[in-house]
Amino acid sequence: MNKAPVLTGITTTGTPHLGNYVGAIRPAILASKDPNVTPFYFLADYHALIKCQEPERVRQSSLEIAATWLALGLDTTNAVFYRQSDVPEILELNWMLSCVAAKGLMNRAHAYKAAVAENEQDQSADADKGITMGLFSYPVLMAADILLFKAQKVPVGKDQIQHIEMARDIAARFNHIYGEHFVLPEALVEVNGATLAGLDGRKMSKSYHNTIPLFEPEKKLKKLINKIVTNSLLPGEPKDPESCTLFSIYQAFATPAEVEIIRQHYAAGIAWGEMKNNLFEYINQHIAPARERYEALMQTPEHIEAELQKGAQKARALSVPFIQQLRAAVGIAKLSR
Ligand code: TRP
């Protein structure tokens, strides 16, 4: 019963939206049912502090994300579902790794480089203006998240591949110095995950303010879908599904046969109002059962907390002995029995 550990973290700064759902949450929950893997899914609340200094938002986001994953049927008997801050060994490992990670490697991290480039663009006297040590060393924290649980596969978006490569690098360096303690992780870029367009047609993303929250109440969901930007073709005029945001969202939810029917409606000149209505009806009925569970969970945070504590216990059963082994390896130990 040697199950492969698969691990991914969710930064707790926002409210889960339809793009998160089709791109990351849905495939992760599907994967959590695979009997050959042990999924480690965690709320990356220490990572949240890098981007967000609003305590209430970090707390609320943790609650919403945990409720979302549970409402969508995450199997927490197979998966280890925990909060990063409940596993203090992560921070301890973060320091051990900081002491082997090359600073030059961190200089090349794209989040840091983008921040520097922005300062240079603004002709700021200080290229590091506004850049915290948290942002700079964030790939080390991510390496600690991954290496502590010996994750072999790490499902992530394309923007995170570099961080997984850095985690490999740091792990190899540690192993070279102290012996073979870490498994070298690999990025798993989701093949089932789709990128969804948002209200304005650009990629649905919190930073573009164009998202549709996954569990928006019915009325609000309808309103938001009505706001999706389309072209100005009139009813009866044939329309191109491929360039249409409504169609792309529909496609991420519906079966191929259902998509084919909608494609024919486009050719026949379906009115935008009617298509928006179709889309609303489809998504609404698709998520209604999970939304009901979500709303119930949000009213009973003690159930969510209990799940997270159960997850932390499972995680720490692994991380506590492993950090002892690592302490011994680096020479941090009691001087006598
Ligand atoms: N940095 C990741 C993101 O922004 C979240 C994350 C934190 C993560 N720790 C991780 C992902 C470890 C995978 C593995 O998406």
Side-chain angles (χ1 to χ4, degrees), residues 42-61:
F42 69 97
L43 305 173
D45 52 354
Y46 284 133
H47 285 273
L49 302 186
I50 299 168
K51 300 187 220 166
C52 177
Q53 298 184 333
E54 296 161 59
E56 190 41 45
R57 185 142 148 238
V58 173
R59 208 194 61 86
Q60 179 67 18
S61 171

Side-chain angles (χ1 to χ4, degrees), residues 36-111:
N36 299 316
V37 306
T38 300
F40 289 79
Y41 296 150
F42 69 97
L43 305 173
D45 52 354
Y46 284 133
H47 285 273
L49 302 186
I50 299 168
K51 300 187 220 166
C52 177
Q53 298 184 333
E54 296 161 59
E56 190 41 45
R57 185 142 148 238
V58 173
R59 208 194 61 86
Q60 179 67 18
S61 171
S62 301
L63 176 68
E64 290 174 355
I65 293 173
T68 298
W69 285 64
L70 294 172
L72 289 168
L74 176 68
D75 175 0
T76 56
T77 42
N78 189 36
V80 185
F81 185 54
Y82 57 102
R83 178 167 45 207
Q84 186 183 29
S85 58
D86 284 335
V87 183
E89 293 72 31
I90 295 170
L91 288 189
E92 187 167 349
L93 180 56
N94 178 61
W95 183 254
M96 292 186 196
L97 298 179
S98 291
C99 295
V100 300
K103 174 178 175 285
L105 184 67
M106 296 303 111
N107 287 342
R108 294 196 286 278
H110 60 53

Side-chain angles (χ1 to χ4, degrees), residues 319-330:
S319 65
V320 170
F322 191 33
I323 207 81
Q324 282 310 322
Q325 175 192 327
L326 295 170
R327 280 174 161 231
V330 300

